[in-house]
Amino acid sequence: REPKRFEGLRMKIDRFHFRKNHKACTRGFDMDLYCSMNNVNSQVREQDNATLRRFQRQFTFMRPSNVMFHLKVFQAIKNLERISSLSK
């Protein structure tokens, strides 16, 4: 079941990772090698995680189900913002 779920998944590493002269990862993960990814913000997850860190204290006082609800709302809002910015 799991291999089928992920067979179309393409994993890449943010551009900054390779610019820091990192040698441990294969170049196949380098986004700069793929023309189709030229306009992709490769650090969007890191940016979202930085935003979520501001809520870390509040999350410690919530039930896990409540944390998951807030994470889903956060992600939905971020996705709507990104979609809106694409249409401009």
Side-chain angles (χ1 to χ4, degrees), residues 12-23 25 27 29-33 37 40-44 46-47:
K12 304 294 178 240
I13 298 172
D14 69 80
R15 289 177 179 91
F16 186 71
H17 187 82
F18 282 98
R19 290 187 182 136
K20 294 295 272 182
N21 203 21
H22 186 74
K23 302 286 186 206
C25 294
R27 295 291 296 169
F29 289 114
D30 187 356
M31 292 179 71
D32 287 336
L33 298 179
M37 303 194 91
V40 173
N41 178 354
S42 65
Q43 294 183 332
V44 71
E46 293 297 330
Q47 294 163 355

Side-chain angles (χ1 to χ4, degrees), residues 2 4 8 13 27 38 55 62 69 77-79 85 87:
E2 294 302 318
K4 187 71 173 164
I13 298 172
R27 295 291 296 169
N38 284 344
F55 301 107
M62 296 180 189
F69 170 78
I77 291 170
K78 295 302 278 182
N79 287 341
S85 71
S87 63

